Amino acid sequence: MLDNIILVLLCFRISNIVKAKGYNSTPWVLRTVGMWLLFELIGIIVSYTIQKNFLIVNLSGFLCALIGYLIIRQRALNLPDKNQANLDNV
């Protein structure tokens, strides 16, 4: 439950980053959710195959999900600023 709240907050953060650069935030929020779920699932599966402890499995899934978010955040931060490009063309 707590990871869902964290995911919503991180989606707002990604949305603010890309909106400030002049991009549509919807695809970036969907990418964030997709990467979060994908990496969480991968972390859970790998951890479960190694050790079947419930706490360890959930913790490793959460940490892998954070890695997925960090990848998306870095890509969002590396986007060129469309607002600045429009000012240069004027």
Side-chain angles (χ1 to χ4, degrees):
M1 179 65 185
L2 184 61
D3 59 339
N4 294 335
I5 295 169
I6 293 171
L7 177 59
V8 168
L9 294 175
L10 294 177
C11 285
F12 280 124
R13 181 172 277 181
I14 289 290
S15 177
N16 290 337
I17 291 171
V18 296
K19 280 182 182 178
K21 293 188 176 208
Y23 291 89
N24 185 8
S25 65
T26 304
W28 285 94
V29 169
L30 292 176
R31 287 178 193 157
T32 303
V33 172
M35 286 289 279
W36 179 277
L37 294 175
L38 177 68
F39 274 66
E40 187 173 26
L41 184 62
I42 290 171
I44 287 172
I45 290 171
V46 169
S47 179
Y48 185 76
T49 58
I50 295 171
Q51 184 177 6
K52 293 175 176 54
N53 185 348
F54 180 75
L55 183 63
I56 302 291
V57 168
N58 281 327
L59 184 61
S60 64
F62 179 72
L63 292 176
C64 288
L66 283 177
I67 292 171
Y69 163 74
L70 291 174
I71 291 170
I72 292 295
R73 183 184 68 125
Q74 190 60 42
R75 287 187 179 181
L77 290 173
N78 288 338
L79 285 173
D81 194 352
K82 280 187 175 181
N83 298 328
Q84 185 66 30
N86 290 339
L87 292 176
D88 291 341
N89 291 336
V90 173

